[in-house]
Amino acid sequence: MKYCCYCGELVALKIPEGDNLPRHVCETCGEIHYQNPKIVAGCIPEWEDKILLCKRAIEPRYGFWTLPAGFMENDETTMEAAARETLEEARAAVDIRELYCLFNLPHINQIYVMFRGCLLNTDFGPGSESLEVGLYQEQDIPWGEMAFPVVHESLKLYFQDRAAGQFRFRVGDITKTAASPPQYEVKILQS
């Protein structure tokens, strides 16, 4: 960040009085510009024994499979965001149910909030961010073509819970390791 979005003057990166982290501070108007993690809201859309997946038509991870999810907008709840993303990416109407998992991704400053959802019908199709969408049984899911570790982990936990007959809320961290190519470590903190 170079300029203050309030007065247009240059900002300086410094630790404001009473704070403990460097922030972009406008020395003209005094505005402190905080940069906080972004919240991604999504869902696992269920139809009978199948899950709705979307093949990405955008970067990052163009051509890989994902669950419908995306950044929250201002003036909406996490549940509204999950339903909106499902409608945008898969043109699917979904009843958002309980919160299923929350994953912290500190290496990219994101928090994923995933709900379980029930498709209201099978009238769906690719939205502008999807090449294709489809319903998949567990054995047909393209596990090796998942776009993101958080999607892979959410689905893995979902199918474990479904087999056990009980869904449990999870909180976890997904961190990038120093390996080359990058690997990801998943740590479930609360189950």
Side-chain angles (χ1 to χ4, degrees):
M1 179 175 215
K2 289 187 176 192
Y3 301 99
C4 177
C5 61
Y6 294 103
C7 73
E9 294 296 322
L10 287 171
V11 297
L13 188 62
K14 66 181 192 177
I15 299 174
E17 186 178 326
D19 205 334
N20 61 352
L21 294 173
R23 313 284 183 186
H24 290 99
V25 178
C26 179
E27 295 187 347
T28 302
C29 73
E31 185 67 31
I32 301 170
H33 299 277
Y34 294 94
Q35 295 178 328
N36 302 104
K38 296 193 178 288
I39 298 173
V40 176
C43 76
I44 302 172
E46 305 165 326
W47 182 263
E48 298 171 351
D49 66 339
K50 298 179 178 106
I51 298 301
L52 184 71
L53 295 176
C54 305
K55 191 172 200 177
R56 291 178 59 81
I58 59 171
E59 292 294 349
R61 309 290 289 161
Y62 178 93
F64 285 81
W65 292 91
T66 190
L67 292 166
F71 294 112
M72 280 185 67
E73 299 290 348
N74 291 334
D75 298 321
E76 72 180 351
T77 67
T78 52
M79 293 175 81
E80 289 169 343
R84 176 185 51 77
E85 287 291 339
T86 304
L87 187 60
E88 288 177 3
E89 294 181 12
R91 295 188 307 183
V94 65
D95 178 24
I96 300 297
R97 303 277 170 95
E98 72 271 1
L99 181 59
Y100 183 62
C101 54
L102 183 150
F103 283 105
N104 301 296
L105 286 76
H107 61 284
I108 54 173
N109 302 316
Q110 293 179 2
I111 299 166
Y112 269 74
V113 179
M114 299 297 285
F115 293 89
R116 286 181 57 217
C118 181
L119 287 174
L120 298 177
N121 55 56
T122 57
D123 184 22
F124 58 81
S128 62
E129 296 181 6
S130 300
L131 296 169
E132 59 184 278
V133 296
L135 289 171
Y136 290 86
Q137 292 181 322
E138 180 178 7
Q139 67 271 15
D140 299 324
I141 288 182
W143 291 103
E145 300 172 38
M146 290 290 111
F148 308 108
V150 69
V151 172
H152 187 276
E153 191 64 22
S154 297
L155 285 172
K156 182 181 91 173
L157 293 170
Y158 171 86
F159 286 115
Q160 286 174 1
D161 285 353
R162 190 170 83 175
Q166 178 182 353
F167 289 95
R168 300 181 335 237
F169 174 69
R170 308 276 198 334
V171 175
D173 293 341
I174 298 179
T175 54
K176 191 175 183 179
T177 67
S180 182
Q183 302 294 312
Y184 295 90
E185 180 182 336
V186 177
K187 183 190 300 183
I188 302 298
L189 306 171
Q190 176 184 332
S191 181

